[in-house]
Amino acid sequence: MESMLNKLKSTVTKVTADVTSAVMGNPVTREFDVGRHIASGGNGLAWKIFNGTKKSTKQEVAVFVFDKKLIDKYQKFEKDQIIDSLKRGVQQLTRLRHPRLLTVQHPLEESRDCLAFCTEPVFASLANVLGNWENLPSPVSPDIKDYNLYDVETKYGLLQVSEGLSFLHSSVKMVHGNITPENIILNKSGAWKIMGFDFCVSSSNPSEQEPKFPCKEWDPNLPSLCLPNPEYLAPEYILSVSCETASDMYSLGTVMYAVFNKGKPIFEVNKQDIYKSFSRQLDQLSRLGSSSLSNIPEEVREHVKLLLNVTPAVRPDADQMTKIPFFDDVGAVTLQYFDTLFQRDNLQKSQFFKGLPKVLPKLPKRVIVQRILPCLTSEFVNPDMVPFVLPNVLLIAEECTKEEYVKLILPELGPVFKQQEPIQILLIFLQKMDLLLTKTPPDEIKNSVLPMVYRALEAPSIQIQELCLNIIPTFANLIDYPSMKNALIPRIKNACLQTSSLAVRVNSLVCLGKILEYLDKWFVLDDILPFLQQIPSKEPAVLMGILGIYKCTFTHKKLGITKEQLAGKVLPHLIPLSIENNLNLNQFNSFISVIKEMLNRLESEHKTKLEQLQIMQEQQKSLDIGNQMNASEEMKVTNVGSQHIDKVFNNIGADFLTGGESENKEDGLQNKHKRASLTLEEKQKLAKEQEQAQKLKSQQPLKPQVHTPVAPVKQTKDLTDTLMDNMSSLTSLSVSTPKISASSTFTSVPSMGLGMMFSTPVDNTKRNLTNGLNANMGFQTSGFNMPVNTNQNLFSSPSTPGVTKMTLGTPSTLPNFSAVSVPPAGAKQTQQRPTDMSALNNLFGPQKPKVSMNQLSQQKPNQWLNQFVPPQASPGMGSSVMGTPMNMMGQSAFGMQANPFFSPQNFAQPPTTMTNSSSASNDLKDLFG
């Protein structure tokens, strides 16, 4: 990196030194600043061409410098001859003024070290472009090295040279004498200009007579800079020492040949033996065939051959050459018209500019930018022509890069942005606003482009306002948000409110509706929608515009209108508008349709909100209930079959223990709790039931009412034999035996998939009996398991998780269900006071008939249950059964929930009851140890 910087520094230093040494002390430097060395030109490419600017006006120029060091090798008189020849050429060029001649802006100045003069800005000489880089800075600039001539440039360049020669021959009566690529200069715009009048010859005859041009004999002893280039010189110069206008036309032919052959002349001349070379050249010209001109375009090949003819009279003159078909190319004609544009009136110009957009796409970009664009922008000073010129300039801008646009076009557009007349200017700019906003720098957009839009909105002309409002939505996406929010929208609103034109008001609303998508939601809600209520007029078009903005905002995904805005501002504004008398049926339907959509969304959103709030409140209230339900829910997870048990006890009269009403309510409570969603009425009913359950739960448990049954007076009977028979029968039964022993008062329930079973396995060494049942008793269903603690009394066991605890008393007055418990081995048995044994007689005596399954199935549920519970023990709502206070959560007498799976017909046999008493307990103890 450092080496590159050093190299660049040395190059800059060297160039600066060259410029300084070449121009130092020359009077030209007083008025012009000399820049870098860009090209070379003139006879022998002896003139160095530099960029320059005029100090006073900053106008760009080209500075031609001849460094006298180039001729140090010559004798003094030769130096003087060279200097005189160069001075003569520049002085002659300075006197001549023509568009095809290089324009001199400052005459020749001489100093001790150099000659210098200034011209219009120059790109390079034609010799440089064709590859002759003599006297150019090293390395050669890529602009010149990579430069290739387009066909249109070549055609029009040769046409320009022909026109220049026509001017010299016809008007000035002068022969140039040295038409070569070195003396043809391409200016900054690409135009070909003639210079190098060092060897020009003027007519010696008066202007009214036929011109006669004296010619000097060729002197090979003179320095080369004092002689024309022999490779482009007509043969008659050397061989016959004569010249005429046709001699310049021969030179033009050789230039045309060199242009189409990459700068190579048609003949190479030996300057040491010039006469012999020209003699040989003359023979070749006489035998010149088409093969030698193969690189020349066919349509001009014959004309070039004529120009190279040995006989001067056969050669076409300059005026004839300007009219050959080869130069009728549309591009060349277009460029030619631009060069004569200053001669045309406005009508001719307007016609030409109207057709120009069709021609521009056919031309190379370089030609358009260098040749056409400057001509177009020069017409901006004529306001009447701006509407015709501006579309072409913006069309060129589309093809330019952003850098080219900023450098070449934007500075010219600055004054045009401020013009308001004619109105077509604003229209054209607005139509191309996307181009301007895309390529113009942000600062210029704020300073030039957007102010033009603002002026259009505030213009007194209704036509301009309408055009502006119609076009703004097409480029709204390119406007930065702060400018749109703070400058553009307020002006559109003002145009809508302050105008007296219905069209402007409607277009303002339409414009706002189209640019809503580029605004944020809250700006629309806080600024745009309130503005709609300020619009005074009630014309149908205005009302529909207002409705359109409301609808766009309401339906747009990014925007939307909140329900508060709908209810508080939008609907109160829209509903009165909908019944305006000016609206027709279709317009009224449009209003009603939008209003209905808004009402539906308002209802939906607010209803959803209220439902969510109510659900949250219900969830909060049901937290305590959920805790209470937690135990029973866990039991449901472990035993899905418990649902069927609840239904059994509902079907068989679950009001035996809890009362039918309480069971149904509590079962409904649980079912409702499991639903995903409840209606409002269900939730209110649930809340009431929970409140009632809480009240009942807070009450003291009711104590069982003691009933003293009056035993019938019967003869005392020894029960030992009966007990022994029954126990022996019980021992002979197995769990899987489905038969009923006819001689035993005990009946066993077989293990079945359906129904409720009391299994009674017999152990001869140890047995726990609870109310005549095995302590390992369980309810077994197909596919369901509900474990019961084997060490607990079924009716007095501690509460299991998920089952509400039930406290079971053992009053001696309940003969059928008095608890007789044999504790496990090793445990101390509790002594009980003697009881009346008459209850046992009722159970085991012959007075109590046995009920078969068929009889049982025909009885009603209450009749079936009354076989187990005496009438005195039938409880009411909330009463105690067998000394067991019922919990209000729906538990059945056995600590289970009702289940429809267990219905009376699912029981294979009814459960067998057994009378218990202290004496029976003692007997059993004696029997089984």
Side-chain angles (χ1 to χ4, degrees):
M1 183 68 182
E2 186 176 356
S3 61
M4 291 179 62
L5 291 174
N6 291 334
K7 184 177 181 181
L8 178 62
K9 182 179 179 181
S10 62
T11 302
V12 172
T13 304
K14 181 179 178 182
V15 171
T16 305
D18 291 344
V19 173
T20 304
S21 62
V23 191
M24 182 181 297
N26 194 292
V28 169
T29 58
R30 299 173 188 170
E31 298 184 30
F32 297 90
D33 291 323
V34 181
R36 66 185 183 92
H37 184 187
I38 57 172
S40 60
N43 190 26
L45 298 177
W47 293 92
K48 292 182 179 179
I49 306 174
F50 295 86
N51 278 333
T53 55
K54 191 171 184 178
K55 292 181 179 180
S56 58
T57 61
K58 302 300 179 184
Q59 180 183 1
E60 188 176 2
V61 297
V63 180
F64 283 71
V65 177
F66 176 77
D67 191 353
K68 293 182 177 180
K69 291 181 179 179
L70 293 176
I71 57 175
D72 286 345
K73 61 182 180 179
Y74 295 106
Q75 300 293 327
K76 184 178 183 302
F77 76 95
E78 293 176 327
K79 291 180 181 180
D80 293 340
Q81 287 178 327
I82 295 173
I83 296 299
D84 291 340
S85 176
L86 293 174
K87 286 182 178 180
R88 181 173 178 270
V90 176
Q91 291 169 353
Q92 188 64 51
L93 178 64
T94 304
R95 286 193 293 266
L96 295 173
R97 293 285 180 175
H98 190 269
R100 303 297 176 246
L101 306 183
L102 187 64
T103 303
V104 177
Q105 296 189 357
H106 189 84
L108 180 68
E109 299 281 0
E110 183 178 7
S111 66
R112 182 171 59 88
D113 296 321
C114 69
L115 300 175
F117 67 99
C118 296
T119 68
E120 60 182 299
V122 166
F123 170 69
S125 65
L126 180 60
N128 295 153
V129 170
L130 294 177
N132 188 346
W133 301 332
E134 185 179 347
N135 210 11
L136 283 180
S138 179
V140 179
S141 170
D143 293 338
I144 293 178
K145 190 174 183 180
D146 300 332
Y147 193 92
N148 291 314
L149 291 170
Y150 292 106
D151 288 342
V152 64
E153 291 178 304
T154 302
K155 289 180 180 179
Y156 189 57
L158 294 174
L159 176 60
Q160 287 176 307
V161 173
S162 300
E163 290 175 345
L165 290 176
S166 176
F167 166 73
L168 292 176
H169 297 165
S170 302
S171 301
V172 185
K173 308 294 184 181
M174 178 187 290
V175 173
H176 185 279
N178 194 22
I179 297 294
T180 64
E182 292 91 342
N183 287 325
I184 297 174
I185 302 295
L186 278 65
N187 70 0
K188 203 75 172 181
S189 299
W192 292 18
K193 301 292 185 86
I194 299 174
M195 68 165 290
F197 287 83
D198 303 2
F199 309 104
C200 64
V201 180
S202 297
S203 174
S204 58
N205 287 344
S207 58
E208 64 274 3
Q209 296 180 5
E210 184 178 353
K212 182 179 180 181
F213 303 100
C215 181
K216 293 182 180 180
E217 186 177 357
W218 181 269
D219 186 358
N221 297 320
L222 291 175
S224 59
L225 291 178
C226 294
L227 294 171
N229 189 342
E231 293 175 345
Y232 295 89
L233 200 61
E236 58 266 21
Y237 264 102
I238 306 298
L239 299 178
S240 61
V241 192
S242 63
C243 68
E244 51 185 309
T245 55
S247 301
D248 283 343
M249 300 310 296
Y250 177 90
S251 299
L252 177 62
T254 57
V255 169
M256 294 177 70
Y257 181 93
V259 167
F260 291 111
N261 286 272
K262 300 180 180 180
K264 182 179 178 182
I266 187 171
F267 299 115
E268 291 185 1
V269 176
N270 183 2
K271 297 179 181 180
Q272 301 300 324
D273 193 359
I274 188 79
Y275 294 103
K276 186 176 182 180
S277 296
F278 267 86
S279 298
R280 187 170 56 251
Q281 176 180 329
L282 195 62
D283 293 338
Q284 293 175 352
L285 287 174
S286 60
R287 297 192 302 269
L288 189 64
S290 299
S291 59
S292 302
L293 308 176
S294 59
N295 291 333
I296 298 176
E298 185 175 359
E299 59 266 31
V300 75
R301 190 176 300 165
E302 289 299 321
H303 297 92
V304 172
K305 189 175 181 181
L306 288 175
L307 291 173
L308 297 177
N309 196 285
V310 176
T311 306
V314 178
R315 302 169 191 161
D317 60 33
D319 188 56
Q320 291 172 340
M321 282 298 298
T322 59
K323 298 175 182 178
I324 63 174
F326 179 70
F327 296 135
D328 287 340
D329 179 77
V330 61
V333 172
T334 301
L335 295 177
Q336 185 181 27
Y337 195 94
F338 271 110
D339 288 338
T340 59
L341 201 60
F342 64 94
Q343 302 174 2
R344 316 287 177 173
D345 58 26
N346 285 349
L347 180 60
Q348 292 174 324
K349 291 179 181 179
S350 63
Q351 294 296 328
F352 173 72
F353 290 140
K354 284 181 181 179
L356 187 59
K358 299 178 182 179
V359 179
L360 290 178
K362 301 177 182 179
L363 299 177
K365 178 182 176 181
R366 185 176 69 207
V367 175
I368 293 174
V369 172
Q370 291 184 351
R371 297 297 314 278
I372 296 178
L373 182 61
C375 296
L376 291 175
T377 55
S378 65
E379 290 293 324
F380 282 156
V381 296
N382 185 355
D384 294 333
M385 286 292 101
V386 173
F388 301 99
V389 174
L390 188 57
N392 295 294
V393 173
L394 296 179
L395 184 62
I396 295 172
E398 290 180 356
E399 302 300 325
C400 292
T401 63
K402 190 172 183 178
E403 292 74 17
E404 292 172 339
Y405 169 81
V406 172
K407 181 180 179 180
L408 301 175
I409 299 178
L410 184 59
E412 305 294 337
L413 292 178
V416 185
F417 284 140
K418 300 176 183 179
Q419 296 183 17
Q420 296 189 19
E421 293 293 339
I423 60 173
Q424 290 86 352
I425 297 176
L426 283 174
L427 171 61
I428 295 169
F429 274 132
L430 292 173
Q431 289 174 338
K432 292 291 185 179
M433 191 58 63
D434 54 343
L435 168 69
L436 298 177
L437 295 177
T438 302
K439 294 192 174 183
T440 306
D443 293 340
E444 286 297 323
I445 290 177
K446 292 181 180 179
N447 297 332
S448 301
V449 180
L450 291 182
M452 178 191 63
V453 178
Y454 304 153
R455 286 194 300 272
L457 287 173
E458 297 170 347
S461 171
I462 294 175
Q463 185 180 5
I464 295 178
Q465 289 183 329
E466 285 186 54
L467 294 174
C468 186
L469 291 170
N470 287 331
I471 295 172
I472 283 175
T474 62
F475 60 83
N477 59 318
L478 301 175
I479 302 177
D480 62 299
Y481 185 72
S483 298
M484 180 178 290
K485 177 180 177 181
N486 300 322
L488 184 61
I489 297 296
R491 285 176 169 84
I492 295 176
K493 290 164 60 178
N494 289 337
C496 181
L497 293 176
Q498 298 175 3
T499 185
S500 59
S501 169
L502 177 62
V504 172
R505 184 164 291 156
V506 172
N507 284 323
S508 299
L509 294 174
V510 173
C511 179
L512 283 176
K514 290 181 178 180
I515 64 177
L516 283 177
E517 58 182 316
Y518 307 114
L519 305 175
D520 64 69
K521 176 178 180 179
W522 300 113
F523 178 73
V524 173
L525 295 181
D526 298 339
D527 198 89
I528 302 298
L529 298 189
F531 151 74
L532 299 178
Q533 302 179 16
Q534 304 172 11
I535 299 176
S537 58
K538 303 296 181 183
E539 290 84 359
V542 175
L543 297 183
M544 295 307 293
I546 294 173
L547 179 66
I549 293 178
Y550 276 128
K551 185 174 182 180
C552 289
T553 307
F554 177 70
T555 57
H556 198 278
K557 294 180 179 179
K558 187 183 78 171
L559 300 176
I561 305 178
T562 63
K563 60 185 180 65
E564 292 79 13
Q565 289 269 0
L566 283 176
K569 296 182 179 179
V570 177
L571 288 172
H573 184 216
L574 277 181
I575 293 175
L577 294 181
S578 66
I579 59 173
E580 285 290 331
N581 295 330
N582 295 330
L583 297 178
N584 60 30
L585 179 60
N586 291 334
Q587 294 167 342
F588 172 75
N589 289 336
S590 300
F591 265 91
I592 294 302
S593 175
V594 174
I595 290 172
K596 286 181 178 179
E597 289 181 19
M598 291 180 174
L599 287 173
N600 290 337
R601 183 178 296 182
L602 178 65
E603 177 187 3
S604 174
E605 290 183 0
H606 198 62
K607 187 175 181 181
T608 301
K609 176 183 177 182
L610 293 178
E611 288 176 351
Q612 292 174 350
L613 289 175
Q614 187 172 7
I615 290 173
M616 292 172 63
Q617 293 172 357
E618 294 297 336
Q619 290 175 348
Q620 187 69 24
K621 289 180 181 179
S622 61
L623 284 178
D624 295 336
I625 301 174
N627 292 334
Q628 295 173 9
M629 298 289 290
N630 189 30
S632 59
E633 290 297 329
E634 290 183 5
M635 177 58 74
K636 291 176 186 176
V637 174
T638 56
N639 187 5
V640 181
S642 61
Q643 298 175 3
H644 303 291
I645 298 174
D646 287 344
K647 191 169 183 180
V648 165
F649 285 101
N650 285 335
N651 293 339
I652 66 176
D655 55 333
F656 160 58
L657 297 176
T658 64
E661 183 179 356
S662 175
E663 181 70 18
N664 291 336
K665 287 183 178 180
E666 292 168 346
D667 185 67
L669 175 64
Q670 293 177 357
N671 290 337
K672 290 173 185 176
H673 184 73
K674 290 160 58 177
R675 294 179 188 171
S677 61
L678 301 176
T679 63
L680 182 60
E681 292 78 11
E682 290 173 339
K683 292 179 180 180
Q684 290 174 344
K685 185 176 179 181
L686 177 62
K688 291 180 180 179
E689 290 175 356
Q690 292 169 353
E691 184 178 359
Q692 185 178 5
Q694 288 290 346
K695 290 180 180 179
L696 292 175
K697 184 177 180 181
S698 63
Q699 295 178 359
Q700 295 295 331
L702 300 177
K703 295 183 179 181
Q705 185 178 357
V706 179
H707 297 276
T708 307
V710 180
V713 179
K714 293 184 181 179
Q715 186 179 358
T716 304
K717 182 178 179 180
D718 187 7
L719 298 177
T720 304
D721 295 335
T722 305
L723 284 172
M724 291 297 293
D725 292 340
N726 284 325
M727 296 308 297
S728 63
S729 175
L730 183 64
T731 305
S732 64
L733 293 175
S734 65
V735 176
S736 61
T737 304
K739 297 179 181 180
I740 305 173
S741 177
S743 62
S744 175
T745 59
F746 283 84
T747 58
S748 63
V749 183
S751 176
M752 299 178 63
L754 298 173
M756 180 173 65
M757 178 197 74
F758 303 100
S759 60
T760 58
V762 179
D763 189 343
N764 292 329
T765 60
K766 182 172 73 172
R767 182 190 307 262
N768 291 334
L769 291 177
T770 304
N771 294 335
L773 303 177
N774 186 1
N776 293 320
M777 180 203 72
F779 299 104
Q780 300 183 6
T781 63
S782 177
F784 298 91
N785 288 323
M786 187 177 72
V788 179
N789 194 334
T790 57
N791 295 327
Q792 302 284 343
N793 187 321
L794 180 62
F795 298 99
S796 60
S797 62
S799 62
T800 309
V803 182
T804 305
K805 182 176 180 181
M806 300 174 60
T807 305
L808 210 62
T810 57
S812 59
T813 58
L814 298 179
N816 291 340
F817 289 90
S818 298
V820 179
S821 177
V822 180
K828 185 177 179 179
Q829 187 170 5
T830 305
Q831 297 294 330
Q832 298 181 357
R833 63 184 178 82
T835 354
D836 187 2
M837 298 298 295
S838 60
L840 289 175
N841 293 335
N842 294 334
L843 183 61
F844 293 102
Q847 298 87 349
K848 185 73 171 183
K850 298 200 302 183
V851 183
S852 66
M853 192 61 195
N854 293 331
Q855 295 170 341
L856 180 64
S857 63
Q858 296 174 1
Q859 294 176 353
K860 294 181 179 179
N862 290 336
Q863 295 173 350
W864 187 83
L865 289 171
N866 287 338
Q867 297 184 38
F868 297 95
V869 184
Q872 298 86 344
S874 297
M877 184 65 177
S879 65
S880 174
V881 180
M882 298 178 296
T884 306
M886 279 303 298
N887 186 284
M888 294 307 294
M889 295 309 291
Q891 300 293 341
S892 65
F894 296 100
M896 304 299 169
Q897 293 182 343
N899 194 311
F901 181 75
F902 289 94
S903 59
Q905 57 269 28
N906 288 336
F907 285 94
Q909 295 179 3
T912 305
T913 60
M914 178 176 177
T915 305
N916 299 317
S917 64
S918 59
S919 60
S921 178
N922 291 334
D923 292 339
L924 291 174
K925 182 179 180 181
D926 292 339
L927 286 172
F928 299 99

